[in-house]
Amino acid sequence: MFIEHKATILKVATAVAVVLAAAVALIGIFIVFIDTPTPHALLATSAAAIIIAGLLMGKLRIAWYGLAFLFAYSVLFLFSAGAALLRLDFILLILLIIIQLTKSKH
Amino acid sequence: MLEGMKKAVSMAIAMFMVMTTVAVPVFAAQGDSTMLRSKEVNTDELKVGDLVGEGIRGVNDTCDFSALKVRTTAPGDGKTQWVGIKFNPQCRAVINAKWHGSLEEGPRDIIEPILKTMPNMTPQVTQELPFVRTDGVPTLSATAGTKTSEQRVYTYGYGTPWFDVLTEQKGKITFSYDGTNARQSDIWWTSCWGADHSSLGWKWVVDSCSITSLNTGPSSVVWQTGRGNYHCDPAGNFPCNLSDPDGYYHSLYTDEDGHADGTSHCTYWYSGNIVLGPGREVLQGCS
């Protein structure tokens, strides 16, 4: 059954991950320009952009690098902006694991 | 003492180089009457670059100095000791040259303007007086003047003090001093700040911000102590609940004092739960 639906799972997980990463990128921009001015939130936007690029190009390794970068940012700036992103980071982590497993069994 | 007096034939010579943009009233080394207290400076124990006095910025961008009584010991053998003092745009008098012999033996860039502006200048000889000391330290900064001391104390997150400041307090005093007394001007304040991420769900709240101790003088020392109380709100939510108890409740304290001799000290401390810190940045003065 898993094998039958793996293509669908891969597509859905990838789509959700891209949307989530886009949300992270927008939150980063929001923090920089609307919340307390914290230019470093552009790092979160950059990390999200790397994840999106990796997913769209089908190069999962790049997406993993982007997620690692995003986690690092979220923990480092936990008390100023990172905490808001941390939940999304974990969802992205689960989605990337799903995508990775689906791809590897392809 | 008599021997010392004989030995110490002092030549009080002040050479003033006035910066072009600042009009500085100059008072002779003998202590002409001025509106400010006269102080004596022993240049024997000073080197080039040391501060000998600080003026007060007046109207029309002038610098008003107290009488600057400069004392130096002649090297003997009929030689003359020379001391050059330069007034900079910050109203500070700083030693910029020391030499003995004739005036012409001094650094060219220093003596030429002097010879041009004061061609008939002759050194005036005075008797050495006991040098005033406090705790064994020459009272070199005991001229009249004003000073501002300001500091910033802050806590920060894991993102370093440069990029991740969470709470902050600033304290500032401006005081005048004349060697005997210090008094605070009416500019004293403390201010507090907390990073506001309420749009993301939490913020660092300033619960109160006040001056808890204040002495405006006149007295040998004036001071102010400021206190800011902060917490992370809502205390029970992530990430504010990472402290024990929840909320990272803490206080930052800043203390600035000013002494009659013109020195100033700034101290700081904290109480309660903070993420990291506190860090401190001296914005001005505090020395």
Side-chain angles (χ1 to χ4, degrees):
Chain A
M1 186 182 164
F2 176 77
I3 296 169
E4 286 171 8
H5 296 289
K6 66 182 177 184
T8 311
I9 292 169
L10 184 63
K11 278 184 183 174
V12 171
T14 304
V16 173
V18 168
V19 170
L20 266 179
V24 170
L26 289 174
I27 289 171
I29 291 169
F30 170 80
I31 292 169
V32 172
F33 295 106
I34 299 168
D35 195 56
T36 300
T38 42
H40 54 68
L42 280 177
L43 294 173
T45 302
S46 306
I50 293 169
I51 295 171
I52 293 168
L55 290 170
L56 294 181
M57 290 189 302
K59 294 184 176 176
L60 211 49
R61 181 172 288 191
I62 292 174
W64 279 116
Y65 287 146
L67 185 62
F69 186 19
L70 187 60
F71 260 105
Y73 172 82
S74 300
V75 171
L76 211 59
F77 293 95
L78 187 71
F79 292 93
S80 55
L85 301 172
L86 210 54
R87 291 185 191 105
L88 297 177
D89 296 357
F90 279 108
I91 298 171
L92 276 171
L93 175 67
I94 292 166
L95 288 169
L96 283 194
I97 290 171
I98 291 170
I99 294 166
Q100 182 78 57
L101 290 173
T102 311
K103 271 200 161 185
S104 60
K105 290 188 178 183
H106 197 56
Chain B
M1 185 178 166
L2 192 64
E3 195 177 314
M5 287 173 69
K6 280 181 187 172
K7 181 184 170 189
V9 177
S10 298
M11 309 197 109
I13 303 159
M15 298 182 300
F16 303 103
M17 293 181 67
V18 182
M19 301 301 284
T20 52
T21 55
V22 183
V24 182
V26 176
F27 303 103
Q30 287 298 302
D32 295 346
S33 63
T34 67
M35 63 180 182
L36 298 172
R37 250 171 71 90
S38 169
K39 282 290 164 191
E40 187 178 82
V41 174
N42 183 357
T43 59
D44 292 346
E45 299 183 25
L46 296 179
K47 59 184 185 303
V48 172
D50 283 349
L51 183 74
V52 294
E54 196 163 356
I56 300 170
R57 179 71 65 185
V59 290
N60 300 327
D61 217 23
T62 60
C63 284
D64 300 330
F65 274 84
S66 64
L68 198 57
K69 198 169 184 178
V70 178
R71 184 166 61 84
T72 187
T73 305
D77 300 330
K79 289 182 178 175
T80 303
Q81 178 70 39
W82 298 87
V83 178
I85 297 173
K86 176 179 171 181
F87 291 89
N88 69 19
Q90 287 78 41
C91 287
R92 290 181 181 134
V94 177
I95 291 184
N96 71 338
K98 283 177 81 174
W99 75 94
H100 58 261
S102 68
L103 179 60
E104 288 72 21
E105 288 176 75
R108 191 61 38 200
D109 58 323
I110 290 169
I111 61 166
E112 277 180 355
I114 298 164
L115 292 172
K116 199 177 290 179
T117 54
M118 292 182 276
N120 300 320
M121 192 180 99
T122 52
Q124 295 168 299
V125 180
T126 62
Q127 214 171 34
E128 188 179 43
L129 298 169
F131 189 50
V132 181
R133 284 169 182 268
T134 306
D135 300 323
V137 178
T139 54
L140 302 176
S141 58
T143 52
T146 59
K147 186 181 248 183
T148 297
S149 287
E150 184 178 10
Q151 64 174 337
R152 167 179 167 261
V153 178
Y154 53 89
T155 69
Y156 52 93
Y158 307 127
T160 76
W162 299 280
F163 301 109
D164 197 18
V165 174
L166 305 176
T167 57
E168 172 183 289
Q169 189 190 339
K170 285 181 183 173
K172 178 181 179 181
I173 61 166
T174 299
F175 66 98
S176 58
Y177 56 92
D178 60 12
T180 306
N181 283 311
R183 68 190 72 210
Q184 263 193 76
S185 70
D186 53 3
I187 308 164
W188 64 81
W189 56 262
T190 188
S191 68
C192 306
W193 174 87
D196 184 358
H197 297 288
S198 48
S199 55
L200 300 175
W202 76 95
K203 64 178 176 177
W204 292 88
V205 177
V206 179
D207 298 311
S208 65
C209 186
S210 60
I211 293 173
T212 56
S213 177
L214 179 68
N215 178 20
T216 59
S219 59
S220 60
V221 58
V222 294
W223 70 82
Q224 75 161 28
T225 305
R227 175 179 180 169
N229 296 323
Y230 313 83
H231 80 278
C232 184
D233 188 74
N237 287 7
F238 183 78
C240 302
N241 59 1
L242 293 177
S243 66
D244 185 21
D246 292 349
Y248 285 98
Y249 283 89
H250 65 275
S251 301
L252 294 177
Y253 304 83
T254 54
D255 183 275
E256 300 84 37
D257 66 28
H259 295 259
D261 64 359
T263 58
S264 177
H265 305 286
C266 298
T267 53
Y268 66 100
W269 66 99
Y270 83 100
S271 62
N273 287 312
I274 61 174
V275 179
L276 291 173
R280 194 268 292 267
E281 180 187 3
V282 172
L283 300 173
Q284 57 179 319
C286 297
S287 59

